[in-house]
């Protein structure tokens, strides 16, 4: 139910004097109400603050002005475009891009109302850490990472970050302390104010939630709590935070029947992902200043995770775990429990990309100067048109590759041509060398 | 997408028991009781939306009415998705203490699930208790789940005994809400059934200087209209 603005009401932008006409009410939060508005035939979202909220957050307008003048860190942010004011009543708010309906909240992900595959899920995680990297690199701090501010397209893994009105320059004191379950322990305890380092903790919590559908600190200690009130939360998330998979302290290990998602998902991911979470929630809890896993580490790990995906014959997505193989353990599919059969793989420098029937390589993989570019495929796995048993890697880039066969013959693979997926073939992409393994 | 679902289930959650305690004494007769029925009916959808957006709680609702004696209006916990409000009538005196006794019985450790979120009790009244309020409150506070409950009170009109409601709340930082007209009542009921519900299960962004009830942090209540201007009661 809306209370602040009426359909048809006009608000004017403070920079452009643009007239925004209120159409429908989209929703309310603790700070204000959000409406769909129209300007020159274009739809935008318009947030209007509750007057009683503004009293508790007198810097709100100034903070927004700063965000608007600095501009968005990247296009995943539904960033404030300009401030708006009503004519007579002293209401104010801001305009931002409208979120399309096919973006769903993390709550939908948690309640399994959307169920993306692992690839899309990892892509969403990657999008998040890249966006927060961009935000932090600009000197901003987000302060309020939580389920309700992140949206994803389950078909593609594209993400959007909403509610950017708490964003401020790192170090500036603000009105919002964060959302319980996402707040870093030192914030829960009241020892520190939100900053980039506390955002990093929240990012790790969010990634854990997304990948494991569980909270990293809710194990036996949570099970032992009868009434989950403020005191209990302060203990669990603030005063006695113990990672549920802390290898050196099993006092908070997940309880079967209560924390099944954690027990199901944890062993399913490769060791390098588990190691990163272990660090995020052990060292990352104890060493607030220097112990947290940063976005660039998450980014590398998530790319590696996506490149580790293999399909079992049963159709389930699994992850190649080189560390497990080194220890001589056979990997079995989480779904059908049969031993995993690996497709050919490409060793690129010191990383491995699994070459599945649908694998694509991007500039990120084959050009050292274009790391993290995933917008256009540079190569794809294809099947020989006449011989369905022959698989190859097709050159979709505009550069020729030089390949060296096992007998040291050197050949050229021009754009659109394909190299067979045969063991031992070395591919020179230019700035990057790779080798096919079978 | 591979077409195969990822394993596992929904995010683990806990039950949250929500109780309406509605005054149906004779003084509520007429506009007030109609307004109360209207306000609760209007709060159902927002309440369901909040619950739907909340991955941490399974919300269960019950209701007690009190007039001459107290009785269950909704005795069996109803899932919020299925919650419907049958209108109540007004007649008799104000057995508020009896209502507290009744809810206290159900908050007994033996009847509550082992692991829960703090229960939420919302009392709506326009008068003062005609029975032993203190005995009722004591029986409630003697129960661990009663003590842990988030207690919210809405007083309707000039005769509401705000001191008694303050005692019921038990935390000085939280004041009873004083509804001067039907619109206030709708706003307060909606606030109690959405914002408070949310706060008791997955608190939203923590604003500095938020009131803490001791159980969970409660965001600000909406402001009442000016009592002198349109006090329709
Ligand atoms: N750009 C947008 N496009 C579409 N819907 C939006 C947009 N921004 C916000 N909304 C919707 O408006 C409602 C309120 O927004 P929001 O959660 O940002 O408010 P808030 O007061 O900041 O709440 P919070 O308590 O989470 O801080 C939500 O339902 C949200 O999904
Ligand atoms: Zn399988």
């Amino acid at each position: 139910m809306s209370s602040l603005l009426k359909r048809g009401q006009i608000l004017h932008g403070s920079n452009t004097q643009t007239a925004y006409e209120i159409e429908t009410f989209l929703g309310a939060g603790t700070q204000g109400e959000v409406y769909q508005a129209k300007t020159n035939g274009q739809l935008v979202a318009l947030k209007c603050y509750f007057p009683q909220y503004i009293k508790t957050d007198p810097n709100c307008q100034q903070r927004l002005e700063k965000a608007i003048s600095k501009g968005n860190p990247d296009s995943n942010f539904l960033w404030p475009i300009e401030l708006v004011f009503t004519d007579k009543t002293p209401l104010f708010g801001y305009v931002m891009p409208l979120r399309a309906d096919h973006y769903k909240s993390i709550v939908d992900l948690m309640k399994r109302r959307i169920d993306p595959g692992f690839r899309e899920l990892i892509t969403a995680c990657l999008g998040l850490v890249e966006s927060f990297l961009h935000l932090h690199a600009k000197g901003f701090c987000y302060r309020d990472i939580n389920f309700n501010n992140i949206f994803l397209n389950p078909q593609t893994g594209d993400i959007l970050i909403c509610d950017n009105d708490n964003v401020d320059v790192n170090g500036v004191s603000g009105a919002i302390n964060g959302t319980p379950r996402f707040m870093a322990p030192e914030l829960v305890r009241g020892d520190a104010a939100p900053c980039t380092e506390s955002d990093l903790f929240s990012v790790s919590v969010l990634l854990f939630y997304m990948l494991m559908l569980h909270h990293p600190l809710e194990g036996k200690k949570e099970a032992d709590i009868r009434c989950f009130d403020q005191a209990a939360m302060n203990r669990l998330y603030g005063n006695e935070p113990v990672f549920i998979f802390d290898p050196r302290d099993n006092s908070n290990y997940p309880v079967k029947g209560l924390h099944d998602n954690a027990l199901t998902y944890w062993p399913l991911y490769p060791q390098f992902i588990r190691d990163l979470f272990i660090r995020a929630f052990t060292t990352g809890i104890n060493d607030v200043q220097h112990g947290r896993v940063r976005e660039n580490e998450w980014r590398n790990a998530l790319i590696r995770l996506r490149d580790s995906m293999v399909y079992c014959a049963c159709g389930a997505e699994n992850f190649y775990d080189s560390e497990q193989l080194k220890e001589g353990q056979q990997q079995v599919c989480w779904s059908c429990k049969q031993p995993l059969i690996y497709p050919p793989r490409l060793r690129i420098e010191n990383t491995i990309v699994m070459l599945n029937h649908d694998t694509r390589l991007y500039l990120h993989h084959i050009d050292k100067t274009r790391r993290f570019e995933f917008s256009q495929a540079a190569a794809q796995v294809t099947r020989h048109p006449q011989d369905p048993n022959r698989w190859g890697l097709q050159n979709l880039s505009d550069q020729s590759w030089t390949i060296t066969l096992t007998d040291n013959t050197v050949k050229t693979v021009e754009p659109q041509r394909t190299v067979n997926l045969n063991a031992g073939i070395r591919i020179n992409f230019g700035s990057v060398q790779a080798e096919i393994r079978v | 997408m591979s077409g195969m679902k990822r394993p596992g289930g929904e995010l683990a959650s806990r039950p949250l028991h929500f109780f309406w305690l509605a005054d149906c004494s004779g003084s509520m007769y007429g506009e007030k009781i109609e307004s109360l029925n209207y306000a609760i009916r209007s709060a159902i959808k927002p309440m369901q939306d909040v619950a739907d957006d909340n991955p941490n709680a399974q919300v269960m609702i019950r209701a007690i009415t009190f007039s001459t004696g107290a009785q269950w209006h909704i005795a069996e916990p109803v899932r919020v998705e299925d919650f419907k409000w049958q209108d109540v009538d007004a007649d008799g005196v104000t057995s508020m203490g009896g209502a507290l006794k009744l809810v206290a019985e159900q908050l007994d450790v033996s009847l509550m699930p082992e692991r829960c979120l703090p229960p939420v009790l919302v009392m709506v009244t326009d008068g003062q208790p005609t029975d032993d309020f203190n005995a009722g409150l004591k029986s409630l506070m003697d129960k661990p789940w009663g003590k842990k409950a988030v207690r919210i009170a809405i007083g309707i009109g000039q005769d509401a005994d705000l001191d008694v409601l303050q005692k019921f709340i038990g935390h000085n930082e939280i004041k009873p809400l004083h509804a001067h007209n039907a619109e206030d009542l709708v706003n307060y009921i909606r606030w109690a059934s959405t914002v408070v519900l949310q706060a008791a299960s997955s608190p939203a962004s923590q604003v500095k200087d938020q009131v803490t009830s001791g159980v969970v942090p409660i965001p600000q209540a909406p402001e009442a209209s000016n009592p002198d201007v349109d006090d329709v009661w």
Side-chain angles (χ1 to χ4, degrees):
Chain A
M1 220 192 310
S2 62
S3 59
L4 298 174
L5 304 175
K6 290 188 178 61
R7 174 185 278 272
Q9 191 170 343
I10 307 280
L11 287 87
H12 289 280
S14 63
N15 291 348
T16 60
Q17 305 308 317
T18 306
Y20 297 97
E21 184 184 339
I22 299 300
E23 294 200 321
T24 50
F25 172 66
L26 295 174
T30 49
Q31 302 175 314
E33 296 176 343
V34 179
Y35 297 82
Q36 178 176 310
K38 195 169 70 181
T39 179
N40 301 323
Q42 216 190 335
L43 296 178
V44 292
L46 189 152
K47 176 160 174 173
C48 186
Y49 291 100
F50 294 126
Q52 74 262 30
Y53 171 74
I54 293 299
K55 280 186 214 154
T56 67
D57 184 10
N59 296 327
C60 184
Q61 185 174 335
Q62 208 191 344
R63 194 169 63 238
L64 283 165
E65 279 165 356
K66 212 158 27 181
I68 289 165
S69 73
K70 275 204 150 198
N72 71 345
D74 67 41
S75 60
N76 286 341
F77 291 88
L78 296 178
W79 200 255
I81 298 167
E82 69 172 326
L83 296 181
V84 286
F85 296 89
T86 49
D87 286 339
K88 294 185 194 74
T89 45
L91 291 172
F92 96 100
Y94 66 92
V95 188
M96 65 188 135
L98 186 67
R99 186 183 69 238
D101 283 342
H102 57 271
Y103 281 88
K104 306 294 178 193
S105 79
I106 302 292
V107 173
D108 291 324
L109 185 71
M110 293 302 123
K111 291 196 158 184
R112 308 301 291 256
R113 292 189 287 226
I114 54 169
D115 233 343
F118 278 107
R119 181 180 299 281
E120 293 72 29
L121 187 65
I122 296 163
T123 299
C125 291
L126 180 58
L128 276 172
V129 301
E130 292 197 313
S131 286
F132 283 115
L133 186 152
H134 295 150
L135 179 98
H136 289 142
K138 266 197 139 175
F140 283 122
C141 162
Y142 188 82
R143 291 160 196 272
D144 196 15
I145 294 172
N146 66 56
F147 285 151
N148 295 309
N149 298 342
I150 315 285
F151 291 79
L152 77 154
N153 177 343
Q155 252 74 49
T156 60
D158 291 333
I159 60 127
L160 290 176
I161 300 173
C162 303
D163 225 351
N164 294 297
D165 47 358
N166 300 312
V167 172
D168 205 339
V169 173
N170 189 36
V172 175
S173 84
I176 294 277
N177 264 341
T179 297
R181 294 184 176 86
F182 289 88
M183 280 156 77
E186 69 275 12
L187 266 59
V188 177
R189 292 192 301 265
D191 295 346
C195 64
T196 303
E197 300 305 311
S198 57
D199 271 2
L200 288 177
F201 185 86
S202 309
V203 167
S204 298
V205 172
L206 183 62
L207 293 175
F208 195 87
Y209 261 131
M210 290 172 73
L211 293 174
M212 317 280 174
L213 285 161
H214 195 77
H215 190 283
L217 305 177
E218 292 176 7
K220 182 165 186 313
K221 285 172 188 280
E222 189 269 348
D224 290 344
I225 296 166
R226 301 200 72 154
C227 181
F228 203 74
D229 61 2
Q230 182 77 60
M233 286 182 143
N234 288 346
R235 204 163 60 238
L236 202 62
Y237 307 123
N239 294 311
E240 298 172 19
V242 177
F243 183 39
I244 55 176
F245 295 114
D246 185 335
R248 281 187 293 209
D249 179 353
N250 65 4
S251 64
N252 199 20
Y253 198 77
V255 176
K256 211 168 181 317
L258 295 177
H259 310 130
D260 289 346
N261 280 344
L263 293 166
T264 301
Y265 280 103
W266 183 248
L268 200 145
Y269 293 105
Q271 190 62 44
F272 67 88
I273 286 288
R274 293 194 295 250
D275 285 344
L276 214 48
F277 277 121
I278 290 173
R279 216 174 83 223
F281 300 119
T282 56
T283 327
I285 285 177
N286 298 323
D287 186 354
V288 171
Q289 276 307 316
H290 311 288
R292 300 218 152 127
V293 178
R294 313 194 76 78
E295 287 102 346
N296 51 0
E297 274 185 277
W298 282 123
R299 170 156 73 175
N300 289 330
L302 289 163
I303 292 171
R304 184 172 164 198
L305 180 63
R306 202 170 54 182
D307 286 340
S308 306
M309 256 187 54
V310 296
Y311 298 102
C312 174
C314 77
E317 294 164 306
N318 283 264
F319 298 97
Y320 169 83
D321 188 349
S322 58
E323 273 134 297
Q324 208 176 325
L325 289 176
K326 263 181 229 149
E327 286 171 16
Q329 294 173 29
Q330 174 145 58
Q331 278 191 271
V332 293
C333 168
W334 56 262
S335 176
C336 69
K337 312 291 180 214
Q338 296 300 307
L340 276 184
I341 298 165
Y342 304 112
R345 15 192 205 287
L346 194 62
R347 184 175 182 89
I348 307 176
E349 317 269 278
N350 47 16
T351 67
I352 298 274
V353 180
M354 306 309 286
L355 298 174
N356 300 301
H357 66 92
D358 59 353
T359 296
R360 286 161 170 247
L361 302 183
Y362 297 87
L363 287 176
H364 165 83
H365 296 103
I366 66 159
D367 185 345
K368 266 211 173 97
T369 65
R370 312 285 290 273
R371 291 199 69 195
F372 312 119
E373 279 191 38
F374 292 96
S375 48
Q376 239 189 332
Q380 70 177 0
V381 173
T382 51
R383 206 175 237 195
H384 193 277
Q386 276 82 50
D387 181 357
N389 291 321
R390 244 167 93 188
W391 289 88
L393 188 67
Q394 186 184 15
N395 183 355
L396 299 180
S397 75
D398 48 18
Q399 307 285 322
S400 295
W401 304 338
T402 310
I403 60 165
T404 309
L405 306 182
T406 43
D407 64 1
N408 284 326
T409 337
V410 174
K411 288 188 174 171
T412 302
V413 182
E414 313 218 303
Q416 299 309 317
R417 303 297 301 275
T418 299
V419 48
N420 265 340
L421 295 187
N422 286 345
I425 295 182
R426 277 167 291 155
I427 308 177
N428 183 347
F429 290 114
S431 62
V432 170
Q433 323 294 321
E435 187 182 320
I436 297 169
R437 303 274 177 88
V438 177
Chain B
M1 269 185 273
S2 72
M4 178 171 298
K5 273 186 187 308
R6 289 175 297 116
E10 280 182 37
L11 186 67
S13 61
R14 287 178 177 237
L16 184 155
H17 288 275
F18 187 105
F19 297 83
W20 292 109
L21 305 170
D23 183 346
C24 295
S25 61
S27 58
M28 288 284 289
Y29 184 81
E31 285 162 41
K32 283 185 196 166
I33 203 78
E34 294 315 320
S35 291
L36 176 64
N37 285 322
Y38 177 80
I40 293 184
R41 282 171 178 262
S42 306
I44 294 175
K45 182 69 172 67
M47 191 176 194
Q48 289 170 338
D49 288 347
V50 165
D52 195 46
D53 272 351
N54 183 332
N56 303 110
Q58 311 135 34
V59 180
M60 309 295 289
I61 301 179
R62 277 174 270 186
I64 289 173
T65 56
F66 55 96
S67 48
T68 306
Q71 49 279 312
W72 285 100
H73 184 55
I74 302 173
E76 288 303 314
V78 177
R79 297 187 326 176
V80 65
E81 307 90 282
D82 304 326
F83 172 45
K84 292 190 181 68
W85 184 252
Q86 302 297 333
D87 285 353
V88 291
D89 298 321
D91 185 23
V93 292
T94 312
S95 303
M96 199 185 288
L100 296 183
K101 273 215 171 92
L102 209 52
V103 73
E105 283 166 18
Q106 291 301 311
L107 288 179
D108 193 82
V109 173
S110 64
L111 294 177
M112 286 286 284
E114 208 176 318
R115 302 159 68 252
C116 272
L117 289 159
V120 177
L121 311 184
V122 179
M123 162 97 73
V124 190
T125 176
D126 74 333
Q128 26 195 304
T130 52
D131 63 350
D132 191 346
F133 170 81
N134 288 324
L137 186 62
K138 181 169 184 310
S139 64
L140 179 66
M141 298 308 279
D142 281 348
K143 305 283 166 132
W145 285 110
K147 218 183 302 173
K148 294 275 191 188
V150 178
R151 297 177 302 274
I152 299 291
I154 302 172
I156 303 177
Q158 293 312 321
D159 298 331
D161 187 337
L162 299 182
D163 293 338
V164 159
L165 293 182
Q166 189 71 63
K167 270 202 219 162
F168 165 69
I169 292 170
H171 296 278
N172 278 328
E173 319 83 74
I174 300 187
K175 300 286 168 211
L177 300 171
H178 199 177
H180 299 285
N181 55 45
E183 197 184 329
D184 284 352
L185 186 62
V186 169
N187 285 337
Y188 289 156
I189 294 265
R190 174 157 60 110
W191 179 78
S193 49
T194 55
V195 180
V196 175
L197 175 68
Q198 177 76 8
S201 51
S202 50
S205 316
Q206 306 274 283
V207 178
K208 276 197 194 144
D209 310 324
Q210 205 155 26
V211 172
T212 158
S213 71
V215 179
V216 293
I218 305 281
Q220 272 182 319
E223 279 165 21
S225 50
N226 185 338
D228 301 326
V229 184
D230 47 3
D231 186 349
V232 294
W233 291 318

